[in-house]
Amino acid sequence: MADDSERRTLLTAAATLTAACLAGCSPADPAASPRPAEPPSAAPRTPEAAYQRLMAGNGRWVSNALRHPDRDPTRRQLLATGQQPYGAVLSCIDSRVPPELVFDTGLGDLFVMRSGGATLGPVITGSVEYGPMTSGTPLIVVLGHQRCGAVSAAYQALRADRPLPGNLQAITEALRPAYEQAAAERHADPADTMARAQVKLTADALRGNQDLAPLVAKGTLAVVGAYYSLDTGEVETLNGAPV
């Protein structure tokens, strides 16, 4: 009888240990199974919704509450045969102002164009037009930023009437209207004033573009001028916010 009792005790302990192991290694255990990918987010299709989505993303960037949305294999596969970004961002080439990070966006969310000082030219303008004219992209953002090296260099060159070398002078000339506006306003930080003026002038030019203006008039497109703070990470809207 003692042997049968000991045998039953050993079998019961083994069964308990096996069950515990299976439970600990079960796919139902969150620690033992990979986290499922979040479903792709639906792209906003109105200027108001697109603007709110971008600004909410910037709020997460500022508060360090990033979601890193739309950055998984499911999203990559979904976009393999087509795209429909909800925003187009024209920003400066500055390495500290990557729009996809600043707005906490992912694959397929934004068309991004970058040029020194967010200046326009035929190729850049055509690139900005591409999304609204071919994909129904409802929002364009012109994004300038604090302590812009291109703007500061152009300001100094124009003030001293000393051309910059090579094709850098082309950037300087594209920034001349913003320089003239800043010089007339006589603020304490003229280069920063010039950077903000450049954003507004560029946004105004795109808003009045012969191909984009009809979309703006219909209310299917908004062109927003914005300014990024290197100190805080916050994007400030300067003009054109959809209401």
Short mmCIF file of all heavy atoms in Angstrom, two decimals, residues 179-232:
data_model
loop_
_atom_site.label_atom_id
_atom_site.label_comp_id
_atom_site.label_asym_id
_atom_site.label_seq_id
_atom_site.Cartn_x
_atom_site.Cartn_y
_atom_site.Cartn_z
N TYR A 179 14.04 87.42 -47.66
CA TYR A 179 15.04 88.33 -47.10
C TYR A 179 14.53 89.78 -47.16
O TYR A 179 14.62 90.52 -46.16
CB TYR A 179 16.34 88.22 -47.87
CG TYR A 179 17.32 89.33 -47.57
CD1 TYR A 179 18.09 89.30 -46.42
CD2 TYR A 179 17.45 90.42 -48.45
CE1 TYR A 179 18.98 90.34 -46.13
CE2 TYR A 179 18.33 91.44 -48.17
CZ TYR A 179 19.09 91.41 -47.01
OH TYR A 179 19.96 92.44 -46.72
N GLU A 180 13.99 90.17 -48.28
CA GLU A 180 13.51 91.55 -48.43
C GLU A 180 12.36 91.84 -47.46
O GLU A 180 12.27 92.93 -46.90
CB GLU A 180 13.08 91.78 -49.88
CG GLU A 180 14.27 91.76 -50.85
CD GLU A 180 13.84 91.82 -52.30
OE1 GLU A 180 12.62 91.71 -52.58
OE2 GLU A 180 14.73 92.00 -53.17
N GLN A 181 11.50 90.85 -47.25
CA GLN A 181 10.40 91.05 -46.31
C GLN A 181 10.93 91.17 -44.88
O GLN A 181 10.49 92.04 -44.12
CB GLN A 181 9.42 89.89 -46.41
CG GLN A 181 8.20 90.04 -45.50
CD GLN A 181 7.16 88.97 -45.77
OE1 GLN A 181 6.85 88.67 -46.91
NE2 GLN A 181 6.61 88.40 -44.72
N ALA A 182 11.88 90.30 -44.54
CA ALA A 182 12.45 90.35 -43.19
C ALA A 182 13.21 91.64 -42.95
O ALA A 182 13.14 92.24 -41.86
CB ALA A 182 13.37 89.14 -42.97
N ALA A 183 13.93 92.11 -43.95
CA ALA A 183 14.69 93.36 -43.81
C ALA A 183 13.76 94.54 -43.59
O ALA A 183 14.07 95.45 -42.82
CB ALA A 183 15.55 93.59 -45.05
N ALA A 184 12.60 94.51 -44.23
CA ALA A 184 11.64 95.61 -44.07
C ALA A 184 10.99 95.59 -42.70
O ALA A 184 10.64 96.64 -42.15
CB ALA A 184 10.57 95.51 -45.16
N GLU A 185 10.86 94.39 -42.11
CA GLU A 185 10.18 94.30 -40.81
C GLU A 185 11.10 94.65 -39.64
O GLU A 185 10.63 95.01 -38.56
CB GLU A 185 9.62 92.89 -40.63
CG GLU A 185 8.48 92.58 -41.61
CD GLU A 185 7.90 91.20 -41.40
OE1 GLU A 185 8.25 90.54 -40.39
OE2 GLU A 185 7.07 90.77 -42.22
N ARG A 186 12.42 94.50 -39.80
CA ARG A 186 13.41 94.92 -38.80
C ARG A 186 13.18 94.30 -37.42
O ARG A 186 13.09 95.00 -36.41
CB ARG A 186 13.42 96.46 -38.67
CG ARG A 186 13.82 97.16 -39.94
CD ARG A 186 13.65 98.65 -39.82
NE ARG A 186 14.01 99.31 -41.05
CZ ARG A 186 15.13 99.99 -41.25
NH1 ARG A 186 16.01 100.10 -40.26
NH2 ARG A 186 15.37 100.56 -42.39
N HIS A 187 13.10 92.98 -37.37
CA HIS A 187 12.98 92.29 -36.09
C HIS A 187 14.36 92.04 -35.48
O HIS A 187 15.38 92.16 -36.14
CB HIS A 187 12.26 90.95 -36.27
CG HIS A 187 10.78 91.11 -36.46
ND1 HIS A 187 9.92 91.34 -35.41
CD2 HIS A 187 10.00 91.06 -37.56
CE1 HIS A 187 8.68 91.43 -35.86
NE2 HIS A 187 8.70 91.27 -37.17
N ALA A 188 14.35 91.67 -34.19
CA ALA A 188 15.62 91.46 -33.48
C ALA A 188 16.40 90.27 -34.03
O ALA A 188 17.63 90.27 -34.01
CB ALA A 188 15.34 91.25 -31.98
N ASP A 189 15.69 89.25 -34.51
CA ASP A 189 16.35 88.08 -35.09
C ASP A 189 15.94 88.01 -36.57
O ASP A 189 15.00 87.31 -36.94
CB ASP A 189 15.92 86.81 -34.35
CG ASP A 189 16.71 85.58 -34.78
OD1 ASP A 189 17.33 85.62 -35.86
OD2 ASP A 189 16.70 84.58 -34.05
N PRO A 190 16.64 88.72 -37.43
CA PRO A 190 16.22 88.81 -38.83
C PRO A 190 16.26 87.48 -39.57
O PRO A 190 15.43 87.23 -40.45
CB PRO A 190 17.19 89.81 -39.44
CG PRO A 190 18.39 89.80 -38.53
CD PRO A 190 17.85 89.53 -37.17
N ALA A 191 17.20 86.59 -39.23
CA ALA A 191 17.26 85.31 -39.93
C ALA A 191 16.05 84.44 -39.58
O ALA A 191 15.49 83.76 -40.44
CB ALA A 191 18.56 84.58 -39.57
N ASP A 192 15.62 84.49 -38.33
CA ASP A 192 14.44 83.74 -37.94
C ASP A 192 13.20 84.33 -38.59
O ASP A 192 12.31 83.60 -39.05
CB ASP A 192 14.28 83.73 -36.42
CG ASP A 192 13.15 82.84 -35.97
OD1 ASP A 192 13.31 81.61 -36.03
OD2 ASP A 192 12.09 83.36 -35.57
N THR A 193 13.14 85.64 -38.63
CA THR A 193 12.02 86.32 -39.31
C THR A 193 11.99 85.93 -40.78
O THR A 193 10.93 85.69 -41.36
CB THR A 193 12.17 87.84 -39.18
OG1 THR A 193 12.21 88.19 -37.79
CG2 THR A 193 11.00 88.56 -39.84
N MET A 194 13.17 85.83 -41.38
CA MET A 194 13.27 85.44 -42.78
C MET A 194 12.80 84.00 -42.98
O MET A 194 12.11 83.69 -43.96
CB MET A 194 14.72 85.59 -43.23
CG MET A 194 14.99 85.22 -44.68
SD MET A 194 16.72 85.58 -45.09
CE MET A 194 16.90 84.70 -46.64
N ALA A 195 13.14 83.10 -42.05
CA ALA A 195 12.71 81.70 -42.15
C ALA A 195 11.19 81.61 -42.10
O ALA A 195 10.57 80.85 -42.86
CB ALA A 195 13.34 80.87 -41.03
N ARG A 196 10.57 82.36 -41.22
CA ARG A 196 9.12 82.35 -41.11
C ARG A 196 8.47 82.98 -42.34
O ARG A 196 7.44 82.49 -42.84
CB ARG A 196 8.68 83.09 -39.84
CG ARG A 196 9.04 82.35 -38.56
CD ARG A 196 8.79 83.20 -37.32
NE ARG A 196 9.09 82.48 -36.10
CZ ARG A 196 8.22 81.76 -35.40
NH1 ARG A 196 6.96 81.68 -35.80
NH2 ARG A 196 8.58 81.13 -34.30
N ALA A 197 9.08 84.05 -42.83
CA ALA A 197 8.56 84.69 -44.04
C ALA A 197 8.63 83.74 -45.23
O ALA A 197 7.70 83.67 -46.05
CB ALA A 197 9.34 85.97 -44.34
N GLN A 198 9.72 82.97 -45.31
CA GLN A 198 9.87 82.02 -46.41
C GLN A 198 8.77 80.97 -46.39
O GLN A 198 8.21 80.60 -47.43
CB GLN A 198 11.25 81.34 -46.30
CG GLN A 198 11.46 80.15 -47.22
CD GLN A 198 11.38 80.50 -48.70
OE1 GLN A 198 11.41 81.68 -49.08
NE2 GLN A 198 11.27 79.48 -49.54
N VAL A 199 8.42 80.48 -45.22
CA VAL A 199 7.33 79.50 -45.09
C VAL A 199 6.03 80.09 -45.61
O VAL A 199 5.31 79.47 -46.42
CB VAL A 199 7.17 79.05 -43.62
CG1 VAL A 199 5.85 78.30 -43.43
CG2 VAL A 199 8.35 78.19 -43.20
N LYS A 200 5.70 81.28 -45.16
CA LYS A 200 4.43 81.90 -45.55
C LYS A 200 4.38 82.19 -47.05
O LYS A 200 3.36 81.94 -47.71
CB LYS A 200 4.21 83.18 -44.75
CG LYS A 200 4.02 82.96 -43.27
CD LYS A 200 3.88 84.30 -42.54
CE LYS A 200 3.77 84.10 -41.04
NZ LYS A 200 3.69 85.40 -40.31
N LEU A 201 5.48 82.70 -47.58
CA LEU A 201 5.53 83.02 -49.01
C LEU A 201 5.40 81.75 -49.85
O LEU A 201 4.70 81.74 -50.88
CB LEU A 201 6.83 83.75 -49.34
CG LEU A 201 6.95 85.19 -48.82
CD1 LEU A 201 8.38 85.70 -49.02
CD2 LEU A 201 5.96 86.11 -49.53
N THR A 202 6.07 80.68 -49.43
CA THR A 202 6.01 79.43 -50.18
C THR A 202 4.61 78.82 -50.11
O THR A 202 4.07 78.34 -51.12
CB THR A 202 7.05 78.43 -49.64
OG1 THR A 202 8.35 79.01 -49.75
CG2 THR A 202 7.02 77.12 -50.42
N ALA A 203 4.02 78.83 -48.92
CA ALA A 203 2.66 78.30 -48.78
C ALA A 203 1.68 79.11 -49.62
O ALA A 203 0.79 78.56 -50.29
CB ALA A 203 2.24 78.30 -47.31
N ASP A 204 1.85 80.43 -49.62
CA ASP A 204 0.97 81.29 -50.43
C ASP A 204 1.13 80.99 -51.91
O ASP A 204 0.15 80.95 -52.66
CB ASP A 204 1.29 82.77 -50.17
CG ASP A 204 0.84 83.23 -48.78
OD1 ASP A 204 0.05 82.50 -48.14
OD2 ASP A 204 1.29 84.31 -48.36
N ALA A 205 2.38 80.78 -52.34
CA ALA A 205 2.63 80.49 -53.75
C ALA A 205 1.99 79.17 -54.17
O ALA A 205 1.40 79.08 -55.25
CB ALA A 205 4.14 80.45 -54.01
N LEU A 206 2.08 78.16 -53.32
CA LEU A 206 1.47 76.87 -53.65
C LEU A 206 -0.06 76.96 -53.61
O LEU A 206 -0.75 76.37 -54.44
CB LEU A 206 1.96 75.80 -52.67
CG LEU A 206 3.43 75.40 -52.82
CD1 LEU A 206 3.86 74.49 -51.67
CD2 LEU A 206 3.67 74.71 -54.16
N ARG A 207 -0.56 77.71 -52.66
CA ARG A 207 -2.01 77.86 -52.53
C ARG A 207 -2.59 78.57 -53.75
O ARG A 207 -3.74 78.31 -54.15
CB ARG A 207 -2.32 78.65 -51.25
CG ARG A 207 -3.71 78.43 -50.68
CD ARG A 207 -3.86 79.18 -49.38
NE ARG A 207 -2.99 78.65 -48.33
CZ ARG A 207 -2.01 79.34 -47.75
NH1 ARG A 207 -1.76 80.59 -48.10
NH2 ARG A 207 -1.29 78.79 -46.81
N GLY A 208 -1.79 79.46 -54.36
CA GLY A 208 -2.26 80.19 -55.53
C GLY A 208 -1.80 79.59 -56.84
O GLY A 208 -2.06 80.14 -57.91
N ASN A 209 -1.11 78.45 -56.77
CA ASN A 209 -0.65 77.74 -57.96
C ASN A 209 -1.83 77.44 -58.89
O ASN A 209 -2.90 77.04 -58.42
CB ASN A 209 0.04 76.45 -57.48
CG ASN A 209 0.43 75.51 -58.58
OD1 ASN A 209 -0.42 75.00 -59.29
ND2 ASN A 209 1.71 75.24 -58.69
N GLN A 210 -1.65 77.59 -60.19
CA GLN A 210 -2.77 77.44 -61.12
C GLN A 210 -3.39 76.05 -61.10
O GLN A 210 -4.58 75.89 -61.40
CB GLN A 210 -2.32 77.77 -62.54
CG GLN A 210 -1.28 76.84 -63.12
CD GLN A 210 -0.93 77.15 -64.56
OE1 GLN A 210 -1.52 78.06 -65.17
NE2 GLN A 210 0.01 76.41 -65.12
N ASP A 211 -2.61 75.04 -60.74
CA ASP A 211 -3.15 73.69 -60.69
C ASP A 211 -3.69 73.32 -59.31
O ASP A 211 -4.61 72.50 -59.20
CB ASP A 211 -2.07 72.68 -61.09
CG ASP A 211 -1.63 72.87 -62.54
OD1 ASP A 211 -2.51 72.85 -63.41
OD2 ASP A 211 -0.43 73.04 -62.78
N LEU A 212 -3.14 73.91 -58.27
CA LEU A 212 -3.59 73.60 -56.91
C LEU A 212 -4.71 74.51 -56.44
O LEU A 212 -5.54 74.09 -55.61
CB LEU A 212 -2.41 73.69 -55.94
CG LEU A 212 -1.25 72.72 -56.19
CD1 LEU A 212 -0.13 72.97 -55.18
CD2 LEU A 212 -1.70 71.27 -56.14
N ALA A 213 -4.74 75.74 -56.92
CA ALA A 213 -5.75 76.70 -56.46
C ALA A 213 -7.18 76.18 -56.63
O ALA A 213 -8.02 76.38 -55.73
CB ALA A 213 -5.58 78.03 -57.19
N PRO A 214 -7.54 75.53 -57.74
CA PRO A 214 -8.91 75.01 -57.85
C PRO A 214 -9.24 73.98 -56.78
O PRO A 214 -10.39 73.93 -56.30
CB PRO A 214 -8.93 74.37 -59.25
CG PRO A 214 -7.86 75.09 -60.02
CD PRO A 214 -6.79 75.35 -59.01
N LEU A 215 -8.27 73.17 -56.37
CA LEU A 215 -8.51 72.18 -55.32
C LEU A 215 -8.70 72.87 -53.97
O LEU A 215 -9.55 72.46 -53.16
CB LEU A 215 -7.34 71.20 -55.24
CG LEU A 215 -7.02 70.41 -56.52
CD1 LEU A 215 -5.79 69.53 -56.32
CD2 LEU A 215 -8.22 69.56 -56.93
N VAL A 216 -7.93 73.93 -53.73
CA VAL A 216 -8.09 74.71 -52.51
C VAL A 216 -9.46 75.37 -52.49
O VAL A 216 -10.16 75.36 -51.46
CB VAL A 216 -6.98 75.77 -52.39
CG1 VAL A 216 -7.23 76.68 -51.20
CG2 VAL A 216 -5.60 75.10 -52.27
N ALA A 217 -9.88 75.92 -53.63
CA ALA A 217 -11.17 76.59 -53.71
C ALA A 217 -12.33 75.62 -53.46
O ALA A 217 -13.35 75.98 -52.86
CB ALA A 217 -11.33 77.25 -55.08
N LYS A 218 -12.17 74.37 -53.89
CA LYS A 218 -13.20 73.35 -53.69
C LYS A 218 -13.22 72.83 -52.26
O LYS A 218 -14.17 72.16 -51.84
CB LYS A 218 -12.97 72.17 -54.63
CG LYS A 218 -13.35 72.44 -56.08
CD LYS A 218 -12.86 71.32 -56.99
CE LYS A 218 -13.35 69.96 -56.52
NZ LYS A 218 -12.88 68.87 -57.40
N GLY A 219 -12.17 73.10 -51.50
CA GLY A 219 -12.10 72.61 -50.14
C GLY A 219 -11.56 71.20 -50.01
O GLY A 219 -11.62 70.61 -48.93
N THR A 220 -11.01 70.66 -51.09
CA THR A 220 -10.46 69.31 -51.04
C THR A 220 -8.96 69.30 -50.74
O THR A 220 -8.36 68.24 -50.59
CB THR A 220 -10.70 68.57 -52.37
OG1 THR A 220 -10.11 69.31 -53.44
CG2 THR A 220 -12.20 68.43 -52.62
N LEU A 221 -8.37 70.49 -50.65
CA LEU A 221 -6.94 70.62 -50.38
C LEU A 221 -6.69 71.83 -49.49
O LEU A 221 -7.30 72.88 -49.70
CB LEU A 221 -6.15 70.77 -51.69
CG LEU A 221 -4.65 71.06 -51.55
CD1 LEU A 221 -3.91 69.85 -50.96
CD2 LEU A 221 -4.04 71.44 -52.90
N ALA A 222 -5.81 71.67 -48.52
CA ALA A 222 -5.33 72.80 -47.72
C ALA A 222 -3.82 72.85 -47.80
O ALA A 222 -3.15 71.81 -47.86
CB ALA A 222 -5.77 72.65 -46.26
N VAL A 223 -3.30 74.08 -47.84
CA VAL A 223 -1.85 74.29 -47.85
C VAL A 223 -1.49 75.05 -46.57
O VAL A 223 -1.91 76.19 -46.38
CB VAL A 223 -1.39 75.08 -49.09
CG1 VAL A 223 0.13 75.23 -49.07
CG2 VAL A 223 -1.85 74.39 -50.37
N VAL A 224 -0.74 74.40 -45.71
CA VAL A 224 -0.43 74.94 -44.39
C VAL A 224 1.04 75.34 -44.31
O VAL A 224 1.92 74.58 -44.70
CB VAL A 224 -0.74 73.89 -43.29
CG1 VAL A 224 -0.32 74.40 -41.91
CG2 VAL A 224 -2.23 73.55 -43.30
N GLY A 225 1.28 76.54 -43.81
CA GLY A 225 2.64 76.97 -43.50
C GLY A 225 2.93 76.69 -42.04
O GLY A 225 2.13 77.05 -41.17
N ALA A 226 4.06 76.05 -41.73
CA ALA A 226 4.36 75.66 -40.35
C ALA A 226 5.85 75.86 -40.06
O ALA A 226 6.68 75.93 -40.96
CB ALA A 226 3.96 74.20 -40.12
N TYR A 227 6.16 75.91 -38.77
CA TYR A 227 7.52 76.22 -38.31
C TYR A 227 7.87 75.27 -37.17
O TYR A 227 7.11 75.13 -36.20
CB TYR A 227 7.56 77.67 -37.84
CG TYR A 227 8.87 78.14 -37.27
CD1 TYR A 227 9.84 78.72 -38.10
CD2 TYR A 227 9.13 78.05 -35.91
CE1 TYR A 227 11.03 79.18 -37.56
CE2 TYR A 227 10.31 78.51 -35.37
CZ TYR A 227 11.27 79.07 -36.20
OH TYR A 227 12.45 79.53 -35.68
N TYR A 228 9.02 74.62 -37.29
CA TYR A 228 9.45 73.61 -36.31
C TYR A 228 10.50 74.18 -35.37
O TYR A 228 11.49 74.78 -35.80
CB TYR A 228 10.03 72.41 -37.05
CG TYR A 228 10.57 71.32 -36.16
CD1 TYR A 228 9.71 70.46 -35.48
CD2 TYR A 228 11.94 71.14 -36.01
CE1 TYR A 228 10.20 69.46 -34.67
CE2 TYR A 228 12.44 70.13 -35.20
CZ TYR A 228 11.56 69.30 -34.53
OH TYR A 228 12.06 68.31 -33.73
N SER A 229 10.28 73.97 -34.07
CA SER A 229 11.24 74.41 -33.06
C SER A 229 12.24 73.30 -32.77
O SER A 229 11.86 72.21 -32.33
CB SER A 229 10.51 74.79 -31.76
OG SER A 229 11.44 74.97 -30.71
N LEU A 230 13.52 73.56 -33.01
CA LEU A 230 14.55 72.60 -32.67
C LEU A 230 14.65 72.40 -31.16
O LEU A 230 15.02 71.33 -30.68
CB LEU A 230 15.90 73.06 -33.21
CG LEU A 230 16.06 73.11 -34.73
CD1 LEU A 230 17.42 73.70 -35.09
CD2 LEU A 230 15.89 71.74 -35.36
N ASP A 231 14.32 73.44 -30.40
CA ASP A 231 14.43 73.37 -28.94
C ASP A 231 13.37 72.47 -28.32
O ASP A 231 13.66 71.71 -27.39
CB ASP A 231 14.31 74.77 -28.34
CG ASP A 231 15.50 75.66 -28.69
OD1 ASP A 231 16.59 75.12 -28.95
OD2 ASP A 231 15.33 76.89 -28.71
N THR A 232 12.14 72.54 -28.81
CA THR A 232 11.03 71.82 -28.18
C THR A 232 10.49 70.67 -29.00
O THR A 232 9.80 69.79 -28.47
CB THR A 232 9.87 72.78 -27.89
OG1 THR A 232 9.29 73.22 -29.13
CG2 THR A 232 10.34 73.99 -27.08
#
